């Protein structure tokens, strides 16, 4: 594993980021913009499912997911570049692996939420009556993404 | 400079700058607050620009408490982060630009609120004027500009 990280860190991509003054800050800034779309969008959807701002139709709030996906894709790309740049440091960083764990959990949770929207026999979205288990997914999602942000921030300090 | 130096020497500033958890915790709160603020204000802005037409415009004001929550979290965490290295932040042009953009974003949000939400006729769907759309568009520029400047403080004079 360490071999792989060392190799990654010396690919031409990593060298290009290292050799440029503005590339690392630019990629980091992109990661923050993606974060705003991803986490901002997710939190709005979660809070709406939990009953916040009920006069906004539930279906169109769940329809914010494309924005969330754009943020997610931006952050997978920028995050991978940042990882490649410092692979042998990040690869042994506990906060990084915690962050990845929280991301996988948040992803599984989002998948479960999506299934409960598309496969549910009763149309709770149109009726604006999310079942308790769906509210649990929303609560978990809110908490897990805050954990992702927190562990992401802590990577610089561990 | 006397004020900034004494600010930097308060026990709060020392706690933020020197404790193991102070700075990262405040940074984390600042990031979550940012997502809340930009998420809710951003949605209001893109709705005024014409996206998601199925959301009733007048009802998007229900998102304002969330925007205020994000703003408050960030004003507090931001002030505390500022105290930890007050002279550096004060002298940074990028930091000054960020504060300037936040002030513009705030004025913009106030104008937008009075244009779109206040004096809106009851029971009639609101159609934003071209002026409101300009405000919504510039609002996005100001707030995303503030994010960009915030990130770049560490790398620029």
């Amino acid at each position: 594993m360490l071999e792989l990280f060392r190799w990654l860190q010396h690919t031409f991509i990593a060298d290009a980021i290292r050799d440029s003054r503005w590339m690392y800050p630019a990629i980091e800034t992109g990661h923050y913009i993606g974060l705003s779309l991803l986490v901002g969008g997710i939190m709005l959807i979660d809070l709406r499912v939990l009953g916040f701002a009920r006069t906004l139709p539930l279906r169109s709030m769940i329809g914010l997911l494309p924005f969330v996906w754009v943020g997610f894709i931006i952050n997978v790309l920028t995050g991978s570049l940042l990882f490649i740049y410092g692979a042998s440091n990040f690869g042994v960083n506990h906060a990084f692996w915690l962050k990845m764990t929280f991301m996988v959990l948040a992803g599984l949770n989002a998948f479960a939420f999506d299934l409960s929207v598309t496969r549910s026999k009763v149309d709770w979205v149109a009726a604006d009556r999310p079942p308790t288990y769906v509210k649990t997914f929303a609560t978990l999602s809110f908490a897990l993404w805050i954990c992702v942000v927190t562990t992401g921030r802590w990577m610089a300090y561990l | 400079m006397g004020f900034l130096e004494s600010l930097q020497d308060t026990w709060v500033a020392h706690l933020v700058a020197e404790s193991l958890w102070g700075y990262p915790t405040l940074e984390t709160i600042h990031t979550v607050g940012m997502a809340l603020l930009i998420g809710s204000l951003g949605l209001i802005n893109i709705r005024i620009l014409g996206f998601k037409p199925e959301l009733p415009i007048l009802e998007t004001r229900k998102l304002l408490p969330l925007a205020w929550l994000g703003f408050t979290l960030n004003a507090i965490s931001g002030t505390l982060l500022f105290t930890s290295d007050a002279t550096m932040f004060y002298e940074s042009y990028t930091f000054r630009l960020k504060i300037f953009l936040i002030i513009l974003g705030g004025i913009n949000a106030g104008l937008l609120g009075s244009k779109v939400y206040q004096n809106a006729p009851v029971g009639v769907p609101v159609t934003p004027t071209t002026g409101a759309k300009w405000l919504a568009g510039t609002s996005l520029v100001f707030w995303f500009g503030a994010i960009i400047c915030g990130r770049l403080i560490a790398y620029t004079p």
Side-chain angles (χ1 to χ4, degrees), chain A residues 21 24-26 28-30 32-33 35-37 39-41 43-44 47 52-57 59-64 66-67 142 146 149-151 153-154 157, chain B residues 20-25 27-28 31-32 34-36 38-40 43 46 51-52 54-56 59-66 144 147-149 151-152 155-157:
Chain A
R21 268 192 71 212
Y24 191 86
E28 232 186 18
T29 305
Y32 269 69
I33 290 173
L35 180 154
S36 300
L37 293 174
V39 181
M43 289 201 290
L44 283 177
L47 289 171
F52 173 77
R54 292 197 69 138
T55 41
L56 296 169
R59 190 178 299 281
S60 45
M61 290 300 278
I62 293 177
L64 291 174
F67 288 97
F142 197 90
I146 288 183
V149 172
T150 307
T151 44
R153 266 320 333 177
W154 273 89
Y157 299 91
Chain B
L20 196 62
W21 48 269
Y23 208 86
T25 305
E27 264 186 343
T28 302
T31 312
V32 174
M34 172 189 83
L36 280 173
I38 304 298
S40 47
L43 179 56
I46 61 168
F51 289 94
K52 293 264 146 212
E54 69 276 17
L55 290 175
E59 295 306 328
T60 56
R61 72 188 150 175
K62 297 275 161 60
L63 299 171
L64 287 176
L66 213 54
F144 278 101
I147 297 180
I148 294 170
C149 288
R151 233 356 17 219
L152 296 185
Y155 302 96
T156 46

Side-chain angles (χ1 to χ4, degrees), chain B residues 70-109:
Chain B
F71 183 81
T72 310
L73 282 175
N74 277 19
I76 296 171
S77 56
T79 307
L80 290 171
L81 291 168
F82 178 84
T83 60
S84 74
D85 206 351
T87 41
M88 181 282 286
F89 281 115
Y90 179 78
E91 280 164 14
S92 157
Y93 289 108
T94 317
F95 175 78
R96 292 182 186 182
L97 181 59
K98 173 177 176 172
I99 297 301
F100 181 62
L101 287 168
I102 291 172
I103 293 170
L104 288 179
I107 295 172
N108 192 308

